[in-house]
Amino acid sequence: MSGGLLTDLYEVTMAASYLRRGMTGPATFSLFVRKLPPDRGFLIAAGLEDCLSFVEDYRFSQEDLDYLAVEQGLDDASLRAFERLRFTGEVRAVPEGRVVYPGEPLLEVTAPIAEAQLVETVLLNHVTFQTTVATKAARCVRAAAGARVIDFSFRRTQGVDAAMAVARASYLAGFAGTSNVEGARRYGIPATGTMAHSYVEAFPGEGEAFAAFAADFPDRTTLLVDTYDTIAGVEAAIRTARRAGLPSLAGIRLDSGDLGDLAVKARSILDEAGMTGTLIVASGGLDEHRIADLAAAGAPIDVYGVGTKMGVSADAPYLDSAYKLVAYADRPVMKLSTGKITAPCAKQVYRGADGDVVALRDEPAPDGMEPLLVPVMEAGRRVAGPDPLDAVRERCAAEIAALPDRITRLRAPESRPVRLSARLRRTRDRLYAELAAGHRAAGAGPLKER
Amino acid sequence: MSGGLLTDLYEVTMAASYLRRGMTGPATFSLFVRKLPPDRGFLIAAGLEDCLSFVEDYRFSQEDLDYLAVEQGLDDASLRAFERLRFTGEVRAVPEGRVVYPGEPLLEVTAPIAEAQLVETVLLNHVTFQTTVATKAARCVRAAAGARVIDFSFRRTQGVDAAMAVARASYLAGFAGTSNVEGARRYGIPATGTMAHSYVEAFPGEGEAFAAFAADFPDRTTLLVDTYDTIAGVEAAIRTARRAGLPSLAGIRLDSGDLGDLAVKARSILDEAGMTGTLIVASGGLDEHRIADLAAAGAPIDVYGVGTKMGVSADAPYLDSAYKLVAYADRPVMKLSTGKITAPCAKQVYRGADGDVVALRDEPAPDGMEPLLVPVMEAGRRVAGPDPLDAVRERCAAEIAALPDRITRLRAPESRPVRLSARLRRTRDRLYAELAAGHRAAGAGPLKER
């Protein structure tokens, strides 16, 4: 979905006003997360790819302009300006799959202010949602302690295109595949799936259903064993394989009951039957905490199917993200609203062994520290093609593997220190003092305490 | 987004197996919510319109078939069957905007089993998400106690098409408008918006920004007053109107600080200036509980802008929904999995003064009770055009207005009793006994306790 109307009305209003007034100076907006949700020590950056596609194609169609004219009363001069409007600016961003922390810009846009303003809504949307989900998915992967984790969330994500983003973001964060066929096709992710209870019920009995499935898919016979009685289902699955002349079953799936206890019993029955290679797939209301409990108890589960709670990031379904004007026409900018002071100016984030430093964009890199923001779009065009998703996934795995347990643990983790550079702090404090003095001079009463 | 691959892989696998085996008998699947999320006493049905559009257009493109052949190894006979496959069945559903309760089918599909199975994923997705959001939005409307509520959620919904669904579902549930321009255009919803902090900051001072906005939009001057100091901002807004020769301001917006206290002060300053008609708009992290607190304290807020927490239904971002096979080829069906027993057979829900009754579809209506499920699709085509959104909105408002406070209150509400009819209970118990006996006869060990 692209198009000029994919924005909030006030962006349109403000853009019209800027253009009417000839306010075409470059603005820099900084997109960052203010604070971590509960139980998160880090975030996984995601959503950039959809942002770049959106920005590159941003324009108003004739239909969009007609709506703005007729329904919103937009004047002719503004309509003509919008008709020509394209995104001509630059974007610098942290690549997808990298570990990031609150207060660090994930993305900075520098463009004529009307353009930068109009794309705000969708940029925030993609980065907020996909970073939320990639982070949640990374927690599930960690919890599984080496077992595979699969995305089963399509049926309960918040809309159909959310399901596509979840398939991609969870794979990026280490999932092994998805049940979402369109998501798998679109992003080249392994598609995976077994059978539903309805399949078993559509046959006169479980045995008939299993036999039919084994006959139709002899090379990938994973049977759902809990429709009537789980242990009896495991035994029926084994009988099915033998009758069908299969040396083994690809897998069995458990979807209800005490998954840990049933997995132990199923493993034992399968092993006694010589089916030591048959995978045990577990699903049903799982999240990182349930997975961690099962893994800690030594449940012999090979594959976790994780659905809704990952797909909507149920315990933390959004991030406190912001897209803030930090400079306009070479003037640093900040607001003073209670509790929401943000540092001005275009920035760079440097990563070092002892923590990260947020600095002014043009500060020299501190010794041995790596800049995280890289140019991804110049003059409205991408600097390079999309990162291959498997490369993003490997980057993500490597970054998480390098984090200490105190940051990655699932409960009450620590985060990493993020400091402002001395120059950025001085710039912020000077601007604050200037704004405060300006308000006192204007007789505007005392400013709120910082 | 439509297309054959918008489904889970196991639906494709099962559909191929059904078709290969000539299992084309009619299946009935029942879509319902198992239980209410915390603090909900009722649900608002939503999502049906997107379901019908999806089902009516369901088909596999050549590209879809190529993917299934090459990447999923689907055999030629299945590919040919899929190429011809359309949804040819019937759908009965509770109209959007009606109040519903757990255990009541919101939608029942009766179709050749492969078709009914393939559309499962997207039907569950739309109904689950949109019912979640409509319910959350209805809570915000109730909390506002007559003040207007506006959807500001686009920037942090779970994807861009989620934002469209939220604009529609929240309007349906009583919101007065949305900031989402494309959502407003698509669904004919009032679009609304003010200005952002960035607008104020892009000018040398707040006074200059306010003057520019008032000059550009004299008939809808709503000024955001909290960029630097809120009370000073209100005074600056009044000076702006006077200098611009405006008799009044359309509104001011508060987006930070103690909204209740600031609203009282702003109202007093505005009233003293003779601007008694200037609306006070409040926003910033609002949800139904914050709104209720503000309203209970008598805060003079005219319009609440509600964003993220409504748009993702932050405290309950999903519902425990299910799409269960209840009959196949005229045979009633149920599963016995632990804790997940569902009643078999196609059903009807009857609403009466004392509560709802879930009955067999062909039972006569109990005296004075109204059936909730109505035919919406027959032989794969809609029975009628879409319900006009404003009609759905009025229906929803009337249904909620008729509910007692004990069901609509925001904390620890009661729900409404939903009983099974005597015939449905007998049918379920008989089938349970048959399945249990069948399993004992098959030597499958004792069944789990119900």
Side-chain angles (χ1 to χ4, degrees):
Chain A
M1 222 182 325
S2 74
L5 301 190
L6 293 175
T7 192
D8 286 304
L9 184 62
Y10 78 174
E11 315 282 15
V12 174
T13 307
M14 293 187 286
S17 183
Y18 295 141
L19 293 172
R20 169 183 298 189
R21 296 173 174 279
M23 291 172 66
T24 55
T28 298
F29 283 83
S30 192
L31 199 166
F32 60 97
V33 175
R34 286 200 189 88
K35 60 178 199 294
L36 289 167
D39 283 333
R40 267 62 165 178
F42 66 97
L43 301 170
I44 298 297
L48 177 61
E49 182 51 38
D50 281 346
C51 289
L52 297 179
S53 299
F54 174 77
V55 164
E56 208 168 36
D57 291 341
Y58 191 78
R59 66 203 59 204
F60 291 91
S61 68
Q62 192 54 52
E63 189 186 10
D64 295 338
L65 296 168
D66 290 348
Y67 172 80
L68 294 177
V70 174
E71 298 294 333
Q72 302 303 329
L74 200 68
D75 61 285
D76 287 347
S78 296
L79 290 168
R80 282 194 300 275
F82 279 9
E83 189 175 6
R84 287 189 303 271
L85 187 142
R86 302 287 183 274
F87 183 83
T88 62
E90 71 164 45
V91 181
R92 298 156 58 247
V94 179
E96 291 189 302
R98 295 211 69 160
V99 168
V100 287
Y101 302 96
E104 298 180 345
L106 303 193
L107 183 150
E108 285 198 340
V109 170
T110 300
I113 189 166
E115 301 169 19
Q117 195 86 67
L118 284 163
V119 300
E120 167 175 11
T121 308
V122 169
L123 295 188
L124 268 172
N125 185 299
H126 286 317
V127 172
T128 303
F129 174 45
Q130 296 183 38
T131 298
T132 295
V133 169
T135 302
K136 180 76 170 177
R139 293 164 60 77
C140 296
V141 172
R142 180 189 197 276
R148 275 188 280 166
V149 189
I150 304 288
D151 164 34
F152 276 6
S153 69
F154 190 172
R155 62 192 50 204
R156 291 203 206 84
T157 55
Q158 296 200 343
V160 167
D161 91 356
M164 305 304 140
V166 169
R168 183 177 180 278
S170 60
Y171 183 72
L172 176 165
F175 273 42
T178 181
S179 65
N180 173 346
V181 189
E182 173 62 18
R185 186 197 65 74
R186 190 176 297 183
Y187 300 116
I189 297 169
T192 178
T194 61
M195 61 165 60
H197 297 107
S198 52
Y199 186 86
V200 176
E201 294 164 327
F203 288 81
E206 189 178 58
E208 290 91 332
F210 285 1
F213 199 85
D216 285 357
F217 308 103
D219 56 340
R220 47 182 169 122
T221 308
T222 295
L223 300 172
L224 176 62
V225 295
D226 74 334
T227 304
Y228 302 113
D229 177 280
T230 303
I231 298 304
V234 175
E235 289 162 352
I238 292 167
R239 284 196 299 274
T240 299
R242 292 202 171 133
R243 284 179 194 150
L246 300 177
S248 187
L249 292 165
I252 60 145
R253 178 159 75 101
L254 310 170
D255 188 52
S256 60
D258 180 338
L259 295 174
D261 178 58
L262 291 169
V264 167
K265 289 177 176 156
R267 183 77 274 158
S268 159
I269 297 168
L270 288 165
D271 288 351
E272 275 173 42
M275 298 191 181
T276 54
T278 298
L279 299 178
I280 296 180
V281 183
S283 59
L286 296 177
D287 66 7
E288 66 270 42
H289 302 296
R290 282 283 294 132
I291 294 172
D293 289 347
L294 288 164
I301 293 169
D302 303 288
V303 182
Y304 292 94
V306 184
T308 311
K309 288 176 186 167
M310 182 278 297
V312 303
S313 188
D315 67 323
Y318 66 92
L319 294 168
D320 183 9
S321 54
Y323 179 87
K324 288 295 158 201
L325 182 66
V326 293
Y328 175 62
D330 300 323
R331 178 169 59 79
V333 158
M334 63 192 282
K335 67 171 176 172
L336 307 177
S337 309
T338 317
K340 288 187 177 178
I341 291 169
T342 53
C345 302
K347 300 180 189 69
Q348 179 56 280
V349 181
Y350 291 103
R351 176 150 298 168
D354 301 329
D356 292 357
V357 173
V358 180
L360 293 168
R361 177 181 177 175
D362 53 6
E363 279 188 64
D367 264 359
M369 296 185 86
E370 181 202 4
L372 298 192
L373 289 158
V374 297
V376 291
M377 182 170 276
E378 283 170 4
R381 311 310 299 172
R382 286 166 189 263
V383 170
D387 280 347
L389 185 56
D390 280 308
V392 174
R393 187 167 184 265
E394 283 165 31
R395 174 195 297 149
C396 182
E399 295 239 332
I400 295 174
L403 292 177
D405 179 75
R406 68 176 190 279
I407 289 179
T408 60
R409 69 187 177 217
L410 301 179
R411 296 285 192 194
E414 296 173 20
S415 189
R416 199 174 168 87
V418 176
R419 292 177 295 114
L420 302 191
S421 74
R423 279 184 55 191
L424 180 54
R425 263 184 288 121
R426 280 197 302 273
T427 304
R428 181 196 65 187
D429 293 346
R430 194 166 52 229
L431 179 59
Y432 185 87
E434 282 172 20
L435 287 168
H439 271 265
R440 276 193 300 273
L447 281 165
K448 296 184 184 66
E449 289 302 305
R450 255 188 288 185
Chain B
M1 225 184 321
S2 73
L5 301 190
L6 292 175
T7 192
D8 286 303
L9 184 63
Y10 78 173
E11 316 282 15
V12 173
T13 306
M14 293 186 287
S17 183
Y18 295 141
L19 293 172
R20 170 183 297 189
R21 294 171 176 280
M23 292 171 67
T24 54
T28 298
F29 283 83
S30 191
L31 198 166
F32 59 97
V33 175
R34 285 199 188 91
K35 60 177 199 294
L36 290 167
D39 283 332
R40 267 64 166 176
F42 66 98
L43 301 170
I44 299 296
L48 177 60
E49 182 51 38
D50 281 346
C51 289
L52 296 179
S53 297
F54 174 77
V55 164
E56 209 169 35
D57 291 341
Y58 191 77
R59 67 203 58 204
F60 291 90
S61 68
Q62 193 54 53
E63 189 186 10
D64 294 339
L65 297 168
D66 290 347
Y67 173 80
L68 293 176
V70 175
E71 298 294 332
Q72 302 303 328
L74 199 69
D75 61 284
D76 288 347
S78 296
L79 290 168
R80 282 193 300 275
F82 279 9
E83 189 175 5
R84 287 189 303 272
L85 188 143
R86 302 287 183 275
F87 184 83
T88 62
E90 72 163 46
V91 180
R92 298 156 58 248
V94 179
E96 290 190 300
R98 293 211 70 160
V99 167
V100 288
Y101 301 96
E104 298 179 346
L106 304 194
L107 184 150
E108 286 197 341
V109 170
T110 300
I113 190 166
E115 300 169 20
Q117 195 86 68
L118 282 164
V119 300
E120 166 175 10
T121 307
V122 168
L123 295 187
L124 268 172
N125 185 299
H126 287 317
V127 172
T128 303
F129 174 45
Q130 295 183 38
T131 298
T132 296
V133 169
T135 302
K136 179 77 172 177
R139 294 164 60 77
C140 296
V141 172
R142 178 189 198 276
R148 274 188 281 164
V149 190
I150 303 290
D151 164 33
F152 276 6
S153 69
F154 190 171
R155 64 192 50 205
R156 292 204 205 84
T157 55
Q158 296 200 342
V160 167
D161 91 356
M164 305 303 141
V166 169
R168 182 177 181 279
S170 60
Y171 183 72
L172 176 166
F175 274 41
T178 181
S179 66
N180 173 346
V181 190
E182 173 63 18
R185 187 197 64 76
R186 190 176 297 181
Y187 301 116
I189 298 169
T192 180
T194 61
M195 62 166 60
H197 297 108
S198 52
Y199 185 86
V200 176
E201 294 164 327
F203 288 81
E206 190 178 57
E208 289 91 332
F210 285 2
F213 199 85
D216 286 356
F217 309 103
D219 56 341
R220 48 179 169 125
T221 307
T222 295
L223 300 172
L224 175 62
V225 294
D226 75 334
T227 305
Y228 301 113
D229 177 280
T230 302
I231 298 304
V234 175
E235 291 163 350
I238 292 167
R239 283 195 300 273
T240 299
R242 293 202 171 132
R243 284 180 195 152
L246 300 176
S248 187
L249 291 165
I252 60 146
R253 178 160 75 102
L254 309 170
D255 189 52
S256 58
D258 180 338
L259 296 174
D261 178 59
L262 291 170
V264 168
K265 290 177 177 157
R267 183 76 274 158
S268 160
I269 297 168
L270 288 165
D271 288 352
E272 276 173 41
M275 297 191 182
T276 54
T278 297
L279 299 178
I280 296 180
V281 183
S283 59
L286 296 177
D287 65 7
E288 65 271 42
H289 302 297
R290 282 282 294 132
I291 295 172
D293 290 346
L294 289 164
I301 293 168
D302 304 287
V303 182
Y304 292 94
V306 184
T308 311
K309 288 175 185 167
M310 182 279 296
V312 304
S313 188
D315 68 322
Y318 65 93
L319 294 168
D320 184 10
S321 55
Y323 179 88
K324 288 295 158 200
L325 182 66
V326 293
Y328 175 62
D330 301 322
R331 177 169 58 79
V333 157
M334 64 192 281
K335 67 172 176 171
L336 306 178
S337 307
T338 317
K340 288 188 177 177
I341 291 170
T342 53
C345 301
K347 300 180 189 68
Q348 179 56 279
V349 181
Y350 291 103
R351 177 151 296 171
D354 301 329
D356 293 356
V357 173
V358 179
L360 293 168
R361 176 179 178 174
D362 53 5
E363 279 188 62
D367 264 359
M369 296 186 84
E370 181 203 5
L372 298 193
L373 289 158
V374 297
V376 291
M377 183 170 276
E378 283 170 5
R381 312 309 301 170
R382 286 166 188 264
V383 170
D387 279 348
L389 186 55
D390 280 308
V392 174
R393 187 167 184 266
E394 283 165 31
R395 174 195 296 148
C396 182
E399 296 240 331
I400 294 174
L403 292 177
D405 179 76
R406 68 174 190 280
I407 289 179
T408 60
R409 69 186 177 220
L410 300 179
R411 298 284 193 193
E414 296 173 20
S415 191
R416 201 174 167 86
V418 176
R419 292 176 298 113
L420 301 192
S421 74
R423 277 185 55 193
L424 180 53
R425 263 183 288 121
R426 279 198 302 274
T427 305
R428 180 196 64 185
D429 293 346
R430 193 167 54 231
L431 179 58
Y432 184 87
E434 282 172 20
L435 287 168
H439 272 263
R440 275 194 298 275
L447 279 165
K448 293 185 187 64
E449 289 303 305
R450 256 190 288 188

